[in-house]
């Protein structure tokens, strides 16, 4: 499901395959608690930006500003994703990346929530989620949103929900990649 086999199964032309393979090695792999975890969406991503399918946001691979291979997109919809970590564990960090360009803008609001096995989700961070880093030298910029560093008590969670409110500008894409949980 992950890495180079996904690139190969796309059966893209050799030049495109080589470019995508290069991007894979540039960005590398990030190991975190959500890698390979089951993920569900309230609203499905658009077929135009489907990346590697349902588990693309939890595959450990980061997209870059030079390739749209790893980005999933929503047009004029909120991104509401629930990740099942498989077992309850302490979490102290959640992040998500967005690719920003002319036709796609950063989201209005992001909330990270968690729950153990009950039905009620709890807010992971008390204050607003912040942009921690921006990178990009080309026409695209990658924004990383994450929970604040200091959390008084590390919550125990099996499920993590990321709610991203769409930018109010109509006809804009919300391009997301890799929800990391630590």
């Amino acid at each position: 499901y992950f890495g180079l086999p996904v690139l190969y199964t796309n059966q893209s032309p050799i030049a495109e395959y080589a470019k995508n393979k290069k991007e894979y090695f540039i960005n590398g792999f990030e190991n975190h608690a959500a890698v390979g975890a089951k993920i569900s969406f309230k609203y499905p991503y658009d077929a135009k930006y489907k990346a590697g399918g349902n588990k693309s946001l939890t595959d450990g691979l980061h997209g870059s500003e030079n390739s749209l291979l790893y980005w999933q997109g929503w047009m004029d919809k909120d991104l509401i994703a629930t990740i099942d970590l498989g077992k309850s564990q302490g979490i102290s960090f959640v992040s998500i990346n967005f690719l920003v360009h002319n036709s796609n803008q950063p989201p209005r609001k992001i909330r990270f929530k968690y729950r153990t096995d009950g039905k009620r989700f709890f807010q992971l961070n008390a204050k607003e989620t912040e942009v921690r880093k921006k990178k990009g030298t080309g026409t695209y910029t990658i924004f990383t949103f994450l929970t604040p560093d200091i959390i008084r008590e590390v919550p125990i969670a099996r499920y993590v929900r990321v709610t991203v409110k769409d930018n109010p500008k109509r006809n804009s894409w919300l391009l997301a990649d890799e929800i990391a949980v630590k």
Side-chain angles (χ1 to χ4, degrees), residues 36-126:
K38 182 180 176 188
I39 186 168
S40 59
F41 301 101
K42 183 171 183 179
Y43 308 109
Y45 47 86
D46 193 279
K48 183 175 179 179
Y49 293 107
K50 61 182 180 178
N54 283 346
K55 290 190 176 184
S56 189
L57 295 183
T58 58
D59 63 4
L61 301 174
H62 288 275
S64 75
E65 67 272 12
N66 299 320
S67 172
L68 297 176
L69 180 69
Y70 299 109
W71 300 95
Q72 283 189 326
W74 288 260
M75 171 66 86
D76 298 333
K77 292 181 187 165
D78 295 340
L79 160 56
I80 302 172
T82 304
I83 299 168
D84 181 351
L85 298 173
K87 63 179 181 176
S88 294
Q89 55 190 290
I91 59 169
S92 59
F93 171 93
V94 181
S95 70
I96 184 169
N97 298 324
F98 294 95
L99 190 63
V100 175
H101 183 59
N102 294 341
S103 62
N104 52 311
Q105 301 299 315
R108 277 188 300 154
K109 187 179 266 189
I110 300 175
R111 288 205 173 96
F112 298 111
K113 295 184 176 185
Y114 70 95
R115 76 173 206 216
T116 51
D117 55 359
K119 297 285 183 189
R120 186 172 175 210
F121 278 91
F122 299 95
Q123 188 82 12
L124 183 60
N125 52 323

